Amino acid sequence: MTSSFPASNTSMRSERNTYVGKGFVHVKNPYLDSMDEDVLYHLDLGTKTHNLPEMFGDVKFVCVGGSPNRMKAFALFMHKELRLEDSEEDVKDICAGTDRYCMYKIGPVLSISHGMGIPSISIMLHELIKLLYHARCCDVTIIRIGTSGGIGIAPGSVVITDRAVDSFFKPRFEQVILDNVVTRSTELDKELAEELFNCSKEIPDFPTLIGHTMCTYDFYEGQGRLDGALCSFSREKGLDYLKRAYNAGIRNIEMESTVFAAMCRLCGLKAAVVCVTLLNRLECDQINSPHDVLVEYQKRPQLLISRFIKQRLGLRDQTS
């Protein structure tokens, strides 16, 4: 997948001027223009060491998720669903030279892991967005697929996020830059969310809803859990917080959606978040469903996204 691709500072700058607008991914950093080379360190890629337009120029769909194993499984699933001519053995980790993230390309689909939490997905998104930009990709749709804790809904329900909110139930992402707190909008693409919801209606026995998703910086105290190494509040206060979240329209909790929404919006990417719930937090804190049940739950977002992609590509759906 690697090839030499020498690029001068002048040529990089002229390419940027040419591929602005018209559905192309854009960046918000004037200093990139003065760089002779852009090393995407955590992806083990770069503008001088790889021909990014040749490798990734046809990408139309990017799917990101926390677990490397899950994103590899999704890549293999999409390979089968798209009925590509090459062998599954050809689906290799493009980022094998680093142990931070994994990346697989299946036709026009890119499957990438992002780790757990805002810092990890933020690093990946910076380099992914630059990758799509250098590759001159256009009309890209990016979707986060993952697991989450539900609030007031049955385990196994798939939540399509209409609004990513913080721990105060506000649709914002606060980024500390130098010694300033910068607030960014977490608005997601409403038409994309509706399109995904309509796709879900075509899948039998597939519980799906559109709702707010709360993004926290922590899995335990930050989500009102009583089972961490630390707990500084009462059971009653924790339950009251979750009930207030439900009344505010929040239907699930995870740890990446606000920065994902904010960065994609700033860089012109149509984005969605699709997560399955593994438990109802109004009833319990720990995930205790049998392993086979959890495996089936985790496949649900992948099934929906597969149907969506094939519909966009005009392919007949034959998924069982």
Side-chain angles (χ1 to χ4, degrees):
M1 293 292 293
T2 62
S3 61
S4 177
F5 185 56
S8 68
N9 184 32
T10 302
S11 65
M12 287 179 66
R13 185 179 299 117
S14 63
E15 287 172 2
R16 290 193 182 99
N17 292 334
T18 302
Y19 296 97
V20 173
K22 299 180 182 179
F24 287 93
V25 179
H26 54 268
V27 293
K28 297 282 188 176
N29 181 3
Y31 295 101
L32 289 179
D33 284 343
S34 62
M35 295 170 55
D36 183 56
E37 177 183 12
D38 192 0
V39 177
L40 310 179
Y41 173 73
H42 301 90
L43 300 182
D44 194 34
L45 295 167
T47 55
K48 277 194 172 181
T49 55
H50 300 79
N51 189 330
L52 300 181
E54 181 179 283
M55 292 172 66
F56 302 101
D58 63 337
V59 169
K60 297 296 181 183
F61 307 95
V62 179
C63 299
V64 306
S67 164
N69 289 336
R70 194 182 306 143
M71 298 319 291
K72 180 179 181 180
F74 176 70
L76 294 174
F77 177 58
M78 286 306 307
H79 183 275
K80 185 181 300 182
E81 291 291 283
L82 296 180
R83 303 179 183 276
L84 299 180
E85 294 181 358
D86 57 343
S87 168
E88 283 190 359
E89 296 179 356
D90 295 322
V91 180
K92 298 185 182 300
D93 182 6
I94 299 171
C95 300
T98 174
D99 60 357
R100 296 298 182 186
Y101 307 104
C102 71
M103 176 191 295
Y104 302 90
K105 185 177 183 297
I106 317 90
V109 181
L110 210 56
S111 176
I112 312 173
S113 69
H114 59 59
M116 185 179 292
I118 286 174
S120 183
I121 192 175
S122 172
I123 294 168
M124 187 280 290
L125 285 172
H126 273 282
E127 298 186 14
L128 167 64
I129 291 168
K130 291 196 297 177
L131 165 63
L132 297 173
Y133 177 70
H134 292 311
R136 308 167 192 160
C137 296
C138 66
D139 300 324
V140 176
T141 298
I142 181 168
I143 303 173
R144 168 170 142 66
I145 56 178
T147 58
S148 62
I151 302 182
I153 57 178
S157 300
V158 175
V159 180
I160 301 170
T161 305
D162 64 352
R163 176 178 294 180
V165 302
D166 63 13
S167 297
F168 298 95
F169 315 157
K170 302 294 185 183
R172 64 189 179 188
F173 173 65
E174 293 186 333
Q175 172 77 55
V176 178
I177 301 176
L178 305 182
D179 55 354
N180 295 313
V181 177
V182 177
T183 302
R184 290 169 172 166
S185 170
T186 56
E187 181 180 350
L188 290 160
D189 191 277
K190 293 181 175 59
E191 292 183 1
L192 178 57
E194 287 291 341
E195 186 176 355
L196 288 165
F197 184 65
N198 290 333
C199 282
S200 73
K201 296 177 182 178
E202 301 172 3
I203 307 175
D205 303 318
F206 198 84
T208 313
L209 64 142
I210 295 179
H212 301 350
T213 295
M214 180 164 68
C215 178
T216 67
Y217 286 88
D218 169 52
F219 185 82
Y220 286 97
E221 285 188 298
Q223 295 188 13
R225 278 187 164 87
L226 304 174
D227 60 337
L230 303 172
C231 187
S232 57
F233 50 85
S234 67
R235 183 184 303 273
E236 291 73 22
K237 283 191 174 181
L239 185 58
D240 175 70
Y241 177 74
L242 294 176
K243 287 180 176 178
R244 287 190 286 117
Y246 179 86
N247 291 334
I250 296 168
R251 294 296 176 265
N252 63 333
I253 312 174
E254 45 87 275
M255 296 189 292
E256 293 88 16
S257 60
T258 51
V259 67
F260 173 81
M263 291 185 67
C264 291
R265 181 176 182 274
L266 284 171
C267 294
L269 287 164
K270 290 188 176 182
V273 178
V274 179
C275 291
V276 67
T277 59
L278 302 183
L279 74 168
N280 180 0
R281 288 296 317 288
L282 295 181
E283 296 178 353
C284 58
D285 288 340
Q286 296 199 332
I287 301 170
N288 50 25
S289 296
H291 176 72
D292 59 335
V293 172
L294 293 176
V295 170
E296 193 278 324
Y297 284 170
Q298 291 176 27
K299 290 179 179 178
R300 291 183 179 181
Q302 299 183 21
L303 183 62
L304 174 56
I305 301 312
S306 168
R307 179 175 288 265
F308 163 77
I309 290 174
K310 287 190 290 182
Q311 181 174 288
R312 279 281 187 96
L313 294 176
L315 301 176
R316 180 181 177 186
D317 188 86
Q318 297 179 348
T319 303
S320 60

